[in-house]
């Protein structure tokens, strides 16, 4: 098959890796719609420990994402992913067997230690061609979104039928399914995607953290997931207080989440077609702030709750879907793995902090105050978003080339950057083999405007 579509291996890799990612995130998310209710039955319960139990996975995820990606470079993608799933399974069992809130916190922290996201994304990069990689990554992103929606629906149903421990046993069973899929469905690969493009490079981290445009997105995804986790410290109780039994909550989450998906689509089309990504982005952050203020201000009747939650998830889904795309376009050529590693760590750290902040605010100021605190934080994010630069339309390409010296690499990079349509060019000498005794190699990372660039001329220069 030509470059116009995914080939058989890419389709298999996209579906199987997206399924593994989705199944694992489903296990992490299913606690959100029910734990505020069921957590009260556990020994040692307090609002702070409740928030910790909801967000504990975020801290261990944030700390281990980048190290696990580096380990997958050294020991292979599949062994590291399988090891991560085993740790996740152990965490699920610990939580299922726990009768105290402390045991559930420990189990959730262990679940987070199975931090396989970076290794899965690296394997997806290994198994796909450069021009098809965005489709594979988009499939994984879509499955994560679907897993969140499914978790909101399944969580209350499974918890009602089997209790809180049943929820964790169900998560454990899903993890075993994911392990079989990794072993028998995901194609084998020898790493062929350049390392900096798929796995975080430690030496790049500090420099990229200080990048002003990337920092805005990292702060944004931190706030987004902090708000999500904090709100679920109290949101299920708000539904119960408004007269809706927990086992019926899926009847709210299903139409609410579907409605929010339909509402966000026109905004995404306008943003892309009319080149209005920056104002639409700020508009979504503003909508998030409004939804949180409404949750705080309006009495918790069922109708007002549903309207506020639809607005919240419209903003949440729009931002969750568009931020990785914006990130990949801002990311300097050749270090997408490092950029995504920082972004993922910020996302999970936000979930952890949200759990703690939600628990602390509920303990000292009442649960409804959570919405006000998150609205204030979201407004700060809105102000920060105004400083985003307008995005240039670009595509990234990676070319392997034989270059026999550092001096030659610099000369070629200079020629590339002066070619029409080339926005950014980076040549990394000896990246592919790192062995001076063998034939020298270089990798050329290019960010281009594909309407202006002459790709045959670029390839001719590199050859």
């Amino acid at each position: 098959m030509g470059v116009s579509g995914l080939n058989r291996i890419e389709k298999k890799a996209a579906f199987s890796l997206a399924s593994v990612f989705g199944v694992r995130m489903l296990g992490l998310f299913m606690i959100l719609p029910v734990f505020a209710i069921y957590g009260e039955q556990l020994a040692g319960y307090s609002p702070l420990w409740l928030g910790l139990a909801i967000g504990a996975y975020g801290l261990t995820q944030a700390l281990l994402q980048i190290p696990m990606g580096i380990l997958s470079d050294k020991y292979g993608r599949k062994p590291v992913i399988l090891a991560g799933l085993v740790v996740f399974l152990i965490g699920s069992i610990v939580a299922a067997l726990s009768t105290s809130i402390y045991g559930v916190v420990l189990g959730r922290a262990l679940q987070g230690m199975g931090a396989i996201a970076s290794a899965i994304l690296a394997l997806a990069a290994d198994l796909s061609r450069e021009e098809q990689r965005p489709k594979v990554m988009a499939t994984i992103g879509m499955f994560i979104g679907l897993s969140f929606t499914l978790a909101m629906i399944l969580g209350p149903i499974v918890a009602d039928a089997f209790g809180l421990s049943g929820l964790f046993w169900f998560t454990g069973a899903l993890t075993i399914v994911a392990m079989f899929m990794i072993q028998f469905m995901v194609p084998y690969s020898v790493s062929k995607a350049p390392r900096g493009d798929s796995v975080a490079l430690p030496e790049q981290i500090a420099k990229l953290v200080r990048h002003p445009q990337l920092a805005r997105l990292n702060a944004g995804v931190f706030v987004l997931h902090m708000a999500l986790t904090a709100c679920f410290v109290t949101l299920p109780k708000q539904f119960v207080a408004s007269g809706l039994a927990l086992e019926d909550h899926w009847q709210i989450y299903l139409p609410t989440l579907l409605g929010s998906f339909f509402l966000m689509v026109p905004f995404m089309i306008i943003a892309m077609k009319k080149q209005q990504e920056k104002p639409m982005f700020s508009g979504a952050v503003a909508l998030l702030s409004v939804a949180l203020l409404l949750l705080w201000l309006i009495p918790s009747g069922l109708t007002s709750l549903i309207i506020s939650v639809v607005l919240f998830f419209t903003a949440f889904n729009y931002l969750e879907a568009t931020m990785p795309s914006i990130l990949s376009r801002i990311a300097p050529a050749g270090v997408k793995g490092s950029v995504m590693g920082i972004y993922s760590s910020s996302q999970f750290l936000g979930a952890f902090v949200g759990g703690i902040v939600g628990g602390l605010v509920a303990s000292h100021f009442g649960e409804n105050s959570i919405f006000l605190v998150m609205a204030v934080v979201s407004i700060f994010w809105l102000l920060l978003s105004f400083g985003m630069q307008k995005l240039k339309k670009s595509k990234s390409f990676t070319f392997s080339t034989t270059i026999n010296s550092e001096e030659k690499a610099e000369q070629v990079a200079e020629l590339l950057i002066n070619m029409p349509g080339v926005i950014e060019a980076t040549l990394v000498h000896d990246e592919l083999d790192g062995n001076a005794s063998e034939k020298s190699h270089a990798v050329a990372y290019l960010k281009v405007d594909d309407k202006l660039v002459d790709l045959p001329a670029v390839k001719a220069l590199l050859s």
Side-chain angles (χ1 to χ4, degrees):
M1 184 179 288
V3 296
S4 59
L6 298 176
N7 62 32
R8 188 179 61 81
I9 288 176
E10 286 166 340
K11 286 177 184 174
K12 190 176 179 183
F15 175 76
S16 55
L17 288 172
S19 299
V20 170
F21 214 129
V23 161
R24 184 176 154 283
M25 295 310 288
L26 179 65
L28 283 171
F29 288 144
M30 278 174 66
I31 191 176
L32 287 180
V34 301
F35 198 69
I37 309 293
Y38 281 90
E40 293 180 339
Q41 302 164 11
L42 294 167
Y45 167 83
S46 75
L48 177 58
W49 280 99
L50 171 78
L52 266 172
I54 290 175
Y57 77 93
L59 179 63
T60 45
Q61 282 272 354
L63 292 173
L64 292 174
Q65 277 299 337
I66 293 171
M68 289 285 274
I70 294 166
L71 284 174
S72 79
D73 260 353
K74 188 171 183 181
Y75 298 108
R77 312 295 190 212
K78 279 196 176 186
V80 168
I81 295 169
L82 285 169
L85 288 170
V86 168
V87 175
F88 187 87
L89 176 62
I90 292 167
S92 302
I93 293 168
V94 168
L97 294 172
S98 297
T99 55
S100 74
I101 193 101
Y102 315 117
V104 173
V105 170
L106 174 62
R108 291 281 285 174
L110 281 168
Q111 283 184 324
M113 287 176 73
I116 58 173
S118 55
I120 285 181
L121 293 174
L123 183 52
D126 294 344
L127 293 167
S128 57
R129 293 162 292 166
E130 169 71 25
E131 64 274 11
Q132 298 302 327
R133 205 165 293 152
K135 295 179 187 176
V136 176
M137 298 302 182
T139 305
I140 292 172
M142 183 178 69
F143 271 59
I144 294 170
L146 286 172
S147 72
F148 180 80
T149 305
L150 201 56
M152 295 298 104
I153 299 159
L154 278 179
I157 295 170
V158 173
D160 179 55
F162 305 106
L164 188 63
S165 64
L167 199 65
F168 289 115
W169 286 120
F170 182 70
T171 298
L174 288 176
T175 309
I176 293 168
V177 171
M179 290 165 74
F180 274 97
M181 289 179 76
I182 284 291
Q183 189 61 34
F184 299 112
M185 279 185 67
V186 177
Y188 279 88
S189 80
V190 174
S191 175
K192 67 177 179 63
R195 183 167 167 248
D197 245 12
S198 59
V199 173
L201 303 169
E203 62 272 16
Q204 293 280 354
I205 301 299
K207 182 182 172 185
L208 292 169
V209 165
R210 295 192 298 269
H211 189 293
Q213 295 303 311
L214 294 174
R216 281 178 167 81
L217 289 171
N218 294 329
V221 78
F222 177 92
V223 171
L224 188 65
H225 283 262
M226 177 167 71
L228 177 73
T229 312
C231 286
F232 273 100
V233 170
T234 183
L235 200 56
K237 294 181 186 177
Q238 304 268 345
F239 280 126
V240 170
S242 67
L244 191 70
L246 182 64
E247 61 269 21
D248 297 326
H249 283 196
W250 69 271
Q251 296 171 13
I252 295 294
Y253 289 124
L254 180 58
T256 296
L257 287 160
L258 287 175
S260 69
F261 274 118
F262 281 114
L263 283 171
M264 78 165 186
V265 168
F267 296 109
M268 291 187 78
I269 292 169
I270 293 167
M272 296 302 290
K273 298 275 186 188
K274 306 283 188 185
Q275 293 286 286
Q276 296 295 311
E277 285 148 305
K278 183 185 170 183
M280 284 295 173
F281 183 88
S282 294
V285 181
L287 181 62
L288 187 77
S289 307
V290 168
L292 289 163
L293 285 170
L294 287 175
L295 284 164
W296 172 61
L297 282 169
I298 299 175
S300 58
L302 192 57
T303 304
S304 62
L305 261 177
I306 290 169
I307 291 168
S308 301
V309 170
V310 168
L311 293 176
F312 177 90
F313 278 113
T314 301
F316 180 89
N317 288 329
Y318 178 88
L319 292 163
E320 187 81 340
T322 55
M323 284 167 74
S325 169
I326 295 170
L327 192 81
S328 67
R329 287 162 66 185
I330 295 173
V335 289
K336 287 202 294 284
S338 301
V339 169
M340 287 305 297
I342 298 166
Y343 179 82
S344 296
S345 295
S346 303
Q347 179 180 16
F348 288 119
L349 199 59
F352 171 68
V353 173
I356 290 181
V357 170
L360 283 171
V361 171
S363 298
H364 293 94
F365 306 104
E367 292 189 359
N368 204 50
S369 300
I370 293 170
F371 300 124
L372 175 61
V373 172
M374 290 302 112
V376 170
V377 175
S378 184
I379 289 165
F380 276 110
W381 178 20
L382 176 61
L383 296 173
L384 196 64
S385 75
F386 293 145
M388 282 179 64
Q389 293 175 357
K390 188 173 180 182
L391 295 169
K392 294 178 182 176
K393 289 198 83 172
S394 67
K395 282 190 177 179
S396 293
F397 290 91
T398 305
F399 299 100
S400 180
T401 178
T402 301
I403 286 184
N404 55 16
S405 71
E406 197 71 44
E407 185 185 351
K408 182 72 175 171
E410 286 180 17
Q411 288 172 1
V412 172
E414 186 65 30
L415 290 168
L416 284 169
I417 200 65
N418 289 312
M419 293 179 75
V422 177
I423 298 165
E424 194 177 316
T426 307
L427 263 75
V428 184
H429 188 242
D430 267 345
E431 163 129 350
L432 290 185
D433 53 52
N435 188 338
S437 65
E438 294 181 12
K439 192 178 181 182
S440 292
H441 288 86
V443 180
Y445 300 107
L446 267 67
K447 191 177 282 189
V448 302
D449 181 336
D450 63 335
K451 288 188 171 61
L452 298 175
V453 73
D454 183 352
L455 280 179
V458 169
K459 289 176 183 175
L461 176 61
L462 289 168
S463 64

